[in-house]
Amino acid sequence: MKCGAKCFTVHAEMNGKLQTIPVTARTSIQARKVVRLEYGDQLKIITVKAETAN
């Protein structure tokens, strides 16, 4: 885990099914990149939200 990393929740659609994917990254842009590299072009990202500490 890198310094300054946060947890993000990525909501995406893959093969007609909605998925929630937890990602650890520094920024929301980097979280999108990580998910795209893992799942490829067949994934459509809907939202990326930072998880809040409660």
Side-chain angles (χ1 to χ4, degrees):
M1 194 157 141
K2 293 183 178 181
C3 180
K6 303 177 205 170
C7 289
F8 289 90
T9 303
V10 178
H11 297 280
E13 182 180 347
M14 186 163 142
N15 298 329
K17 297 181 182 178
L18 294 177
Q19 294 185 349
T20 302
I21 305 164
V23 179
T24 303
R26 288 184 181 178
T27 64
S28 62
I29 296 168
Q30 190 176 22
R32 287 176 180 270
K33 287 180 183 179
V34 168
V35 171
R36 282 193 191 119
L37 286 174
E38 260 186 63
Y39 294 96
D41 295 334
Q42 58 194 3
L43 186 80
K44 180 183 176 192
I45 297 173
I46 299 170
T47 61
V48 177
K49 293 184 180 182
E51 292 183 7
T52 58
N54 290 335

